[in-house]
Amino acid sequence: CMIKYPPSHLAAAAVLLSNKLLRLHPAWPPAMAQATEKTESMVKACAWEMCGILEMVSYEKYSSKAVFRKFSGPKFSRVATNKF
């Protein structure tokens, strides 16, 4: 649950995660550690939780589209396009 983290910690974790996703090296530069007064290891757990949420949302988004496409075809009588 992300509510356990203060906003500054969430912001720092979001920066770490985005830098990792962008493959920036270092992902947590010394200037960032100095500005936030947090080490990479301090925000890593929160960043991993964010990553999990991002993966879950991405999966749901794309899997639901695949299901919609599948059941919109003639093989399944376009049942997904029916209005109820």
Side-chain angles (χ1 to χ4, degrees), residues 14-74:
V15 170
L16 174 63
L17 178 58
S18 67
N19 286 349
K20 292 265 187 188
L21 292 172
L22 292 170
R23 294 184 171 95
L24 298 179
H25 297 285
W28 196 251
M32 202 58 188
Q34 184 179 6
T36 62
E37 298 179 353
K38 298 180 186 310
T39 65
E40 180 175 349
S41 61
M42 290 169 71
V43 296
K44 191 176 271 188
C46 182
W48 281 113
E49 285 184 51
M50 284 183 179
C51 187
I53 292 169
L54 181 63
E55 287 176 342
M56 182 178 59
V57 169
S58 295
Y59 173 78
E60 288 174 3
K61 178 181 174 185
Y62 292 111
S63 67
S64 63
K65 283 184 180 180
V67 170
F68 181 82
R69 274 195 308 270
K70 177 180 179 178
F71 289 98
S72 292

